[in-house]
Amino acid sequence: MDEARHERIRAAVLAIPEGWVATYGDVAAEAGERSARVVGKVLSEDGADLPWHRVLRADGSSAPHILDEQHARLRAEGVEIRDGRVVLAHHRLASGWLSRR
DNA sequence: CATATGACCGCCA
DNA sequence: GTGGCGGCCATAT
């Protein structure tokens, strides 16, 4: 991954406000990426200092290895979780959140 | 170059 | 509602 793409992805995640969430695909689109996988890749390698817990799968679920921590953090921000999935209808950020600040 | 492996996604049965 | 499958794309071997 070249540095520019890497940083755009980090910037998109960083711009997600507390109490809101976005899917990996949303972040990819926001950062001009064509692959949601790459977003997960970046977060796994260089996401420790980002609000990575606000990034979810397209169905509102989360990967098994981070599930506990993610849910704990989200609940602390008032994000509603039902049947193991975040209620995207209530907390999903509208596309363009990065530019239209 | 070929295969495998993921913090993934959309479609279809 | 669930799984399966193909597509996706960077990295590792």
Side-chain angles (χ1 to χ4, degrees):
Chain A
M1 285 282 297
D2 59 82
E3 192 61 24
R5 294 174 62 195
H6 193 93
E7 278 310 311
R8 278 201 303 277
I9 291 173
R10 284 175 49 85
V13 174
L14 198 55
I16 303 174
E18 181 177 331
W20 292 84
V21 302
T23 69
Y24 290 94
D26 289 342
V27 174
E30 204 66 19
E33 287 291 328
R34 295 149 26 108
S35 164
R37 274 193 181 284
V38 175
V39 174
K41 184 82 171 161
V42 169
L43 289 186
S44 70
E45 301 175 338
D46 195 27
D49 58 335
L50 299 174
W52 57 266
H53 57 285
R54 298 179 187 144
V55 183
L56 303 157
R57 288 173 172 167
D59 66 353
S61 66
S62 46
H65 48 105
I66 56 171
L67 188 154
D68 284 5
E69 179 70 11
Q70 183 152 40
H71 282 193
R73 292 189 181 200
L74 288 175
R75 272 191 292 268
E77 296 185 356
V79 172
E80 185 184 357
I81 300 172
R82 221 158 44 202
D83 298 317
R85 300 185 293 98
V86 165
V87 183
L88 294 177
H90 293 3
H91 304 94
R92 189 181 196 170
L93 217 41
S95 67
W97 76 81
L98 189 50
S99 54
R100 78 163 77 122
R101 267 176 301 121

